[in-house]
Amino acid sequence: MKAAVYTKYGPPDVLQIKEVAKPVPKDTEILVRVHATTVCTADWRVRKADPVVARLITGLWKPRNNIPGMELAGTVESVGKNVTRFAAGDEVFGGTLFKFGANAEYSCVGEDTLDIKPRTMTFEEAGAVFFGAVTARYFLKKAGIQPGQKVLIYGASGSVGTFAVQLAKHLGARVTGVCSTGNLELVKSLGADEVVDYTREDFAKAGQIYDVIMDTTGKVAFARFLKTLKRGGFLALVGYSGFSAASMLRQTWASITGAAKVISGVARGTSDDMRLFRELIEAGRLKTVIDRCYPLDEIAEAHRYVEKGHKKGHVVIVVRQPSR
Ligand SMILES: NC(=O)c1ccc[n+]([C@@H]2O[C@H](COP(=O)([O-])OP(=O)(O)OC[C@H]3O[C@@H](n4cnc5c(N)ncnc54)[C@H](OP(=O)(O)O)[C@@H]3O)[C@@H](O)[C@H]2O)c1
C-alpha cells in the first residue's frame, strides 16, 4: 500500500511517499481502507520532535512509528477476531491515537476510537473530527461546564478551538472566542456569543470574568489568564506549554492558593466520545471546518502549511475518493 513515511525527525521533507506492507489488524483492531485523513498539530510536532522531551515517548533517536496521521474516515476492510461492533463494508470515522499510521491507504484502528461515519458528513469532514473534538471534549468535561457559565476559548479557530466552541455551546455555556481578524466570522458562525480579535483587543482588559478558560495556543502568560478567571475557576491548558517546568510550578501555586483549578495533560478518546460526536453531527449541532485539502502525495506541503499554526479548523489529506 501507499503511505507517508518518515524514518528520522526533521523538516517536512523527511516525509516520503512509499510502498509499504499493508498492516494486519490485531484481534481487537479494525483494518480501515482510508478515504480521508488529516495533518494535525501532533503530526508536525512529532515529525519535528517539538518539544524535544517528547522523544521520550515517540522514540529517542528516531520516530518509533514511521507513518504519521492520527485521524481518518474510510471503509472497514476486515476486522480482528474479537471485534463485535464493526464488519467489512461499514463506513467509519475515528482515530489511531499515539499509534499514528492514518496517513496511508490502510490503517488499523482500535474498536474504542472508531464509530460508524455520520451519514450527514463526507469522508473529508468525518476524517477530521477525532483529534480536535476528542481534545476539546476531554478538557471541557474536566472543567465540568454547567449551563449559563461563561467560557473563554483562547485560540477558537484551529482544530481544537472550532470544536471547543461548538461543544461548550452544546453544554449551554455562554462562549467567547478569541482569534485573529480573518477568523471572527468563522468563530461566530460556530455559535460563539462574543468574539475578541487578539490582534486589536486585549481580552484581559475587557473587564469580563470567566468561569472557565481554555487556551489552545500556549501563547498567553499564565497571570493574564488569572486576571480574568473567576477565583477558583478552571483553566484548561491544552497547548504543550502546559507541560513546561515553569508552567507546572505556576499550576501548583495556583492550586495551593486557590486562584485556579488548572487542567493540563494529554486527551484520550473513547467510544462514548465517538458516539456523542456522531449524534451531534447527525442532529446538525457539530460540524467540521475544512481549511484545505491535499492529495497524499503532497503531504510535505500540507505539513509546511499546518506548522505555521494558523490553519482554520483542519487540513485534510484525501487518500482515495470513494467509488460512488
Ligand atoms: N493536551 C492535549 O491532549 C492536546 C491535544 C491536541 C492538541 N494539543 C495542542 O493544542 C494546541 C492547539 O492545537 P490545534 O490543533 O487546535 O492547533 P491549530 O489548528 O494549528 O490552531 C492554532 C490556533 O492558535 C491560534 N493562534 C496562533 N497564533 C496565535 C497568537 N499569537 N495568539 C493567539 N492565537 C494564536 C490560531 O488562530 P489564528 O489563526 O486566528 O491566529 C488557531 O486558532 C497545539 O499546541 C497542540 O499541540 C494538545
Side-chain angles (χ1 to χ4, degrees), residues 108-129:
C108 288
V109 187
E111 205 168 11
D112 273 0
T113 51
L114 201 68
D115 205 343
I116 297 295
K117 180 176 83 65
R119 56 187 156 70
T120 51
M121 270 193 170
T122 63
F123 281 101
E124 287 82 355
E125 290 166 330
V129 170

Side-chain angles (χ1 to χ4, degrees), residues 41 45 131 135 139 154-161 179-180 183 198 216-217 219 238-240 243 265-267 306 309-311 313:
T41 325
R45 284 203 186 283
F131 177 79
T135 306
F139 284 92
Y154 194 96
S157 58
S159 296
V160 180
C179 57
S180 60
N183 290 327
Y198 71 79
T216 76
T217 70
K219 293 187 190 285
V238 182
Y240 86 90
F243 298 106
V266 178
V306 173
H310 292 286
K311 66 180 163 63

Side-chain angles (χ1 to χ4, degrees), residues 2-302:
K2 207 157 88 164
V5 175
Y6 68 127
T7 52
K8 58 181 180 185
Y9 295 117
D13 298 328
V14 296
L15 287 160
Q16 294 181 330
I17 302 300
K18 287 192 175 165
E19 279 297 323
V20 299
K22 196 166 147 183
V24 177
K26 293 189 185 130
D27 291 351
T28 55
E29 287 180 339
I30 295 102
L31 178 65
V32 179
R33 186 177 189 191
V34 180
H35 295 306
T37 173
T38 66
V39 174
C40 67
T41 325
D43 293 317
W44 73 256
R45 284 203 186 283
V46 173
R47 187 253 303 145
K48 207 176 161 182
D50 173 11
V52 75
V53 68
R55 286 178 185 238
L56 292 173
I57 298 161
T58 60
L60 211 48
W61 309 114
K62 56 184 184 165
R64 199 169 284 134
N65 299 303
N66 298 118
I67 301 176
M70 263 195 163
E71 53 188 349
L72 52 74
T75 309
V76 173
E77 182 81 358
S78 63
V79 299
K81 70 174 189 251
N82 295 340
V83 171
T84 54
R85 292 174 47 230
F86 301 97
D90 286 347
E91 294 185 346
V92 290
F93 77 132
T96 56
L97 296 172
F98 285 94
K99 271 185 1 45
F100 292 89
N103 294 164
E105 288 183 313
Y106 294 89
S107 185
C108 288
V109 187
E111 205 168 11
D112 273 0
T113 51
L114 201 68
D115 205 343
I116 297 295
K117 180 176 83 65
R119 56 187 156 70
T120 51
M121 270 193 170
T122 63
F123 281 101
E124 287 82 355
E125 290 166 330
V129 170
F130 183 83
F131 177 79
V134 160
T135 306
R137 184 173 191 225
Y138 178 87
F139 284 92
L140 291 174
K141 242 172 107 178
K142 290 218 158 202
I145 290 184
Q146 300 298 315
Q149 282 193 320
K150 288 169 77 177
V151 175
L152 179 85
I153 311 290
Y154 194 96
S157 58
S159 296
V160 180
T162 52
F163 282 121
V165 169
Q166 298 177 81
L167 290 171
K169 282 303 297 177
H170 166 67
L171 293 169
R174 183 159 184 87
V175 177
T176 301
V178 183
C179 57
S180 60
T181 318
N183 290 327
L184 293 173
E185 285 309 314
L186 166 71
V187 174
K188 269 192 218 159
S189 77
L190 297 172
D193 300 285
E194 276 116 39
V195 282
V196 177
D197 179 348
Y198 71 79
T199 68
R200 296 183 183 179
E201 300 168 63
D202 181 351
F203 75 97
K205 286 193 179 149
Q208 295 284 344
I209 296 295
Y210 298 96
D211 298 291
V212 175
I213 296 179
M214 177 188 285
D215 176 26
T216 76
T217 70
K219 293 187 190 285
V220 178
F222 200 81
R224 279 182 69 207
F225 281 134
L226 290 191
K227 260 170 65 177
T228 188
L229 181 70
K230 188 176 100 179
R231 185 163 175 79
F234 283 95
L235 175 56
L237 301 175
V238 182
Y240 86 90
S241 64
F243 298 106
S244 72
S247 178
M248 297 282 188
L249 274 176
R250 287 189 205 103
Q251 290 174 36
T252 310
W253 184 245
S255 299
I256 291 169
T257 59
K261 297 186 194 84
V262 184
I263 313 163
S264 60
V266 178
R268 300 200 79 81
T270 64
S271 53
D272 179 42
D273 289 324
M274 298 308 296
R275 198 171 37 249
L276 173 75
F277 301 151
R278 177 164 50 78
E279 286 166 8
L280 289 178
I281 291 164
E282 290 182 346
R285 304 188 67 179
L286 193 66
K287 65 179 179 187
T288 306
V289 175
I290 296 182
D291 183 336
R292 295 180 181 188
C293 293
Y294 292 84
L296 183 60
D297 290 345
E298 292 175 22
I299 193 153
E301 206 42 56

